[in-house]
């Protein structure tokens, strides 16, 4: 996923992903912000441990689940807010 | 508990918005609920709050008009609210930004829209692969491209819409891989001519695609997605008229860093199933659909349904169905006399027939093709949540599994957090094929609450320790 250049994104914010600070934009889709920071692989599947990322983009498939401030959220349907703490569901 | 609601509309896409607006105008106490923060549904989604609206287009203007009309009525909108429970009678429970909400409406209108059918191939679970409908949301709502170089594959008009959207957004389309032949498209032309505005939009998109010199592979499909940690290439191969891919046909490798793939839309029927309505299987309508009476009432009294959730026929038909459902509900609730109903319904039914003609022509391009399951190899993951492969499903079928519910009990296919929404189409088609029966015999998953994942903390949010009834301690 890649942000369309020239599309207006007025407010820069900071979130952390696995403890590292990432620049994102207020209100944008969390899955897009994570991909822009190089995180398309968001979690590993629970049984076989294969890489997974945002797929349906409408909050149905649950493949884009990440932990946001200690709560599991679908990153495709979560708008970015300043100071979010994101933990990916990948094996270390 | 919100006890005074006449009509609870579930889903705020074109059907839900139009229904809630008219029902409120007819004097009903209406509440309307949607997962999204603002009304619009998938087709008329707005930019997220805090981001500026995207450029005006015919679609965005239609969506804005429906939103404005809804906002101008007394209908109360609950955004970012998930319905997870419903029982006959009616009781409906959801979780919204303020915590749990419960309604006991006199009538319900299900306007739940669709989910996307993606027939899996090896590697389809890799990051960088998104649904075709998902790609439209990325482009329209999130102002993002699926990748730097995207293969657009599958069936139906979304292929052209997504490819054109990527090019407009400054991205590159590595290839369009279309199950349909040129003849499949041309045979829909007479129906398309009934809507010259939409036909013109389609021609504009095709011109954009041609100018960008995008390779267009007709009657082809994706055979395999390559990549370790994310998609790096796809292998495409020819398919026959039934959508079946021959294992021996020579493939072709296309390098890319994203794949948008979808094989049509499927009516979302969790709510009508949960409430016990009768459903029928109609392949050309997209799959299982609630059985409707003369107008929009299901087999459950007081439960109405409208929009693509009752058969894929597009946004324009959905608006008209929504209005017809609102009239039907108002009549049911005693707000509208028989004569007034008939007078208003007559015009709607006539317009609906015309709108459905166009919608059905597009919908039939997206209908399940009988051979589509041939692309699912034994090692392909079918159920993403539980990591279940085709080989495991075939094994279960060989051991006697004949229905979706038996499959779920036998090997947990469809039991994960998506509740079988992603794998149901493939799993049902595979069982039907393996056991020589049909999709009707294989049935649907039994819908069970919670129909959407909810946090336990959200459900118990309104209780304190002191609220729990406790018997007095036994005497010492």
């Amino acid at each position: 996923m890649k942000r369309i250049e020239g599309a207006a994104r007025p407010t820069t914010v900071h979130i952390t992903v696995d403890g590292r600070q990432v620049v994102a934009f207020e209100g944008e889709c969390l899955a897009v912000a994570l991909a822009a920071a190089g995180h398309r692989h968001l979690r590993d599947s629970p049984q076989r441990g294969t890489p997974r990322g945002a797929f349906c983009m409408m909050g149905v498939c649950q493949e884009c689940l990440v932990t946001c401030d200690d709560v599991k959220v679908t990153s495709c349907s979560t708008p970015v807010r300043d100071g979010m703490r994101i933990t990916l569901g990948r094996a270390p | 508990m919100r006890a005074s609601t006449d009509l609870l509309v579930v889903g705020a896409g074109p059907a839900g918005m139009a229904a809630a607006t008219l029902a409120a105008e007819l004097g009903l106490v209406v509440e309307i609920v949607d997962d999204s923060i603002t009304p619009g549904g998938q087709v008329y989604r707005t930019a997220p709050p805090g981001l500026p609206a995207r450029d005006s287009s015919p679609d965005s203007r239609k969506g804005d008009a429906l939103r404005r009309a809804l906002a101008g009525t007394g209908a109360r909108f609950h955004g970012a609210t998930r319905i997870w429970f419903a029982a006959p009678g009616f009781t409906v429970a959801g979780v919204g930004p303020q915590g749990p909400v419960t309604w006991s409406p006199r009538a319900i209108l299900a306007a739940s829209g669709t989910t996307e059918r993606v027939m899996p191939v090896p590697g389809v679970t890799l990051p960088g692969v998104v649904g075709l409908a998902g790609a439209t949301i990325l482009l329209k709502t999130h102002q993002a491209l699926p990748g730097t170089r995207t293969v657009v594959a599958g069936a139906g008009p979304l292929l052209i819409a997504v490819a054109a959207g990527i090019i407009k957004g400054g991205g590159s389309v590595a290839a369009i891989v279309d199950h349909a032949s040129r003849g499949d498209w041309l045979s829909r032309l007479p129906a398309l001519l009934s809507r010259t505005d939409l036909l013109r939009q389609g021609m504009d998109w095709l011109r954009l695609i041609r100018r960008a010199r995008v390779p267009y592979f007709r009657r082809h499909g994706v055979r395999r997605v390559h990549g370790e940690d994310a998609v790096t290439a796809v292998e495409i191969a020819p398919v026959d008229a039934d959508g079946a891919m021959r294992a021996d046909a020579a493939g072709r490798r296309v390098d890319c860093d994203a794949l948008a793939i979808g094989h049509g839309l499927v009516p979302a029927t969790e709510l009508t199933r949960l409430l016990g309505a009768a459903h029928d299987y109609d392949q050309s309508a997209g799959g299982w659909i609630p059985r409707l009476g003369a107008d929009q009432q299901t087999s459950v009294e007081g439960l109405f349904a409208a929009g693509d959730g009752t058969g894929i026929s597009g946004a324009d038909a959905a608006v008209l169905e929504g209005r017809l459902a609102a009239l039907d509900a108002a009549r049911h609730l005693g707000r509208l006399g028989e004569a007034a109903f008939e007078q208003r319904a007559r015009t709607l039914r006539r317009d609906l027939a015309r709108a459905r003609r166009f919608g059905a022509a597009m919908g039939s391009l997206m209908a399940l093709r009988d051979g589509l399951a041939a692309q699912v190899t034994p090692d392909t993951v079918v159920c993403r949540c539980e990591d279940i492969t085709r080989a495991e499903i075939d094994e279960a079928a060989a051991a006697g599994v004949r229905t979706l519910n038996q499959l779920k009990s036998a090997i947990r296919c469809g039991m994960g957090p998506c509740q079988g929404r992603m794998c149901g189409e493939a799993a049902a088609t595979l069982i039907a094929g393996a056991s020589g029966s049909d999709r009707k015999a294989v049935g649907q998953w039994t819908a069970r609450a919670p129909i959407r994942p909810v946090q336990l903390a959200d459900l118990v949010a309104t209780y304190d320790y002191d609220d729990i009834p406790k018997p007095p301690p036994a005497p010492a």
Side-chain angles (χ1 to χ4, degrees):
Chain A
M1 267 169 248
K2 190 169 167 270
R3 295 184 184 111
I4 290 177
E5 282 169 35
R9 293 181 170 85
T11 316
T12 305
V13 296
H14 293 89
I15 62 176
T16 63
V17 181
D18 287 342
R20 293 206 182 127
Q21 201 173 72
V22 163
V23 176
F25 298 97
E26 173 84 25
E28 78 172 332
C29 170
L30 178 57
V32 172
L34 290 171
H39 302 291
R40 287 203 293 175
H41 175 181
L42 301 177
R43 55 187 273 279
D44 295 327
S45 69
Q47 306 296 329
R48 288 168 200 262
T50 60
R52 301 293 168 88
F55 177 69
C56 80
M57 295 306 297
M58 50 181 98
V60 173
C61 77
Q62 311 292 315
E63 291 282 45
C64 67
L65 279 183
V66 297
T67 307
C68 173
D69 300 331
D70 303 321
V71 178
K72 275 189 180 175
V73 300
T74 45
S75 55
C76 74
S77 57
T78 303
V80 166
R81 298 272 167 266
D82 193 27
M84 277 178 162
R85 285 175 297 112
I86 308 297
T87 312
L88 304 182
R90 295 174 54 172
Chain B
M1 177 76 80
R2 313 183 66 87
S4 56
T5 314
D6 288 324
L7 179 67
L8 179 69
V9 179
V10 181
M17 287 192 286
T21 303
L22 181 53
E25 283 167 5
L26 291 168
L28 297 178
V29 177
V30 180
E31 308 217 14
I32 172 166
V33 191
D34 199 274
D35 286 5
S36 296
I37 300 163
T38 50
Q42 304 301 357
V43 60
Y44 298 140
R45 265 174 183 254
T46 54
L51 292 180
R54 59 199 151 87
D55 295 343
S56 170
S57 70
D59 259 4
S60 71
R61 287 191 288 275
K62 276 188 197 174
D64 288 343
L66 286 167
R67 258 185 296 276
R68 253 195 320 273
L70 177 65
T73 67
R76 184 171 163 190
F77 175 68
H78 301 262
T81 301
R82 279 185 207 177
I83 299 298
W84 65 273
F85 173 86
F90 294 106
T91 305
V92 179
V95 176
Q98 270 80 52
V101 201
T102 312
W103 292 268
S104 46
R106 296 169 66 205
I108 297 177
L109 200 161
S112 321
T114 65
T115 51
E116 188 166 32
R117 174 192 304 118
V118 180
M119 194 58 77
V121 291
V124 81
T125 55
L126 279 169
V129 180
V130 293
L132 204 49
T136 67
I137 297 168
L138 267 176
L139 290 162
K140 285 203 291 191
T141 310
H142 302 316
Q143 303 280 350
L145 306 168
T148 310
R149 197 175 140 76
T150 306
V151 169
V152 181
L158 285 183
L159 286 173
I160 305 172
V162 167
I166 291 172
I167 295 164
K168 268 192 222 163
S172 155
V173 178
I176 298 174
V177 186
D178 189 348
H179 269 261
S181 66
R182 196 181 293 271
D184 289 335
W185 284 96
L186 288 177
S187 65
R188 270 76 177 184
L189 205 54
L192 303 193
L193 286 171
S194 69
R195 288 297 307 271
T196 45
D197 53 335
L198 294 174
L199 186 61
R200 197 170 308 127
Q201 185 183 45
M203 298 312 272
D204 287 345
W205 286 339
L206 280 172
R207 210 167 301 129
L208 204 60
I209 290 163
R210 214 170 303 135
R211 215 176 303 141
R213 299 181 185 284
V214 175
Y216 198 126
F217 296 93
R218 295 176 196 279
R219 209 158 258 184
H220 272 67
V222 171
R223 181 145 68 189
R224 182 172 283 273
V225 186
H226 294 284
E228 284 292 318
D229 206 37
V231 49
T232 53
V234 299
E235 184 187 325
I236 64 171
V239 296
D240 67 18
D242 265 348
M245 191 170 288
R246 292 202 321 272
D248 58 338
R252 178 197 294 258
R253 188 185 161 100
V254 183
D255 291 331
C256 59
D257 66 350
L259 167 65
I261 185 168
H263 303 100
L265 302 175
V266 183
T269 56
E270 297 84 30
L271 185 62
T272 45
R273 272 185 284 143
L274 190 60
L275 287 166
H279 290 74
D280 296 304
Y281 187 75
D282 182 344
Q283 190 155 326
S284 64
W288 287 95
I289 49 174
R291 187 180 304 159
L292 301 181
D295 289 298
Q296 302 297 129
Q297 189 165 214
T298 68
S299 65
V300 174
E301 206 187 321
L303 173 63
F304 301 82
D308 276 352
T310 63
I312 310 298
S313 42
D316 290 337
V319 166
L320 299 168
E321 284 171 16
R323 289 193 184 127
L324 196 53
L327 294 180
D328 212 358
R331 174 176 62 172
H332 171 76
L333 295 171
R335 267 278 160 182
L336 200 60
E338 199 60 46
F341 171 82
E342 267 311 319
Q343 193 197 344
R344 301 187 65 160
R346 201 175 305 131
T347 332
L348 276 176
R349 288 192 198 112
R350 194 196 54 218
D351 295 346
L352 192 50
R354 184 162 170 264
R356 275 188 183 141
R357 195 162 160 247
F358 178 86
M362 289 292 94
S364 68
L365 275 172
M366 296 191 280
L368 177 66
R369 289 174 187 239
D370 290 329
L372 199 56
Q375 69 190 45
V376 189
T377 58
D379 62 326
T380 302
V381 169
V382 175
C383 169
R384 292 168 160 265
C385 300
E386 298 284 331
D387 264 333
I388 289 163
T389 61
R390 172 172 187 166
E392 291 168 270
I393 293 172
D394 284 345
E395 201 180 311
V401 162
R402 292 290 174 267
T403 70
L404 271 186
N405 282 333
Q406 289 168 359
L407 184 72
K408 189 174 181 178
S409 308
I411 60 170
R412 298 186 59 87
C413 183
M415 213 179 226
C418 92
Q419 301 254 285
R421 284 176 180 84
M422 305 311 295
C423 65
E425 279 287 298
T429 308
L430 290 172
I431 299 172
S435 56
S437 68
D438 56 28
R439 286 288 304 272
K440 201 175 158 65
V442 170
Q444 310 187 77
W445 313 108
T446 299
R448 295 202 194 284
I451 53 174
R452 301 304 291 269
V454 280
Q455 302 275 345
L456 204 50
D458 286 336
L459 302 187
V460 296
T462 51
Y463 296 92
D464 278 330
Y465 181 74
D466 290 341
D467 295 333
I468 302 169
K470 287 174 282 290

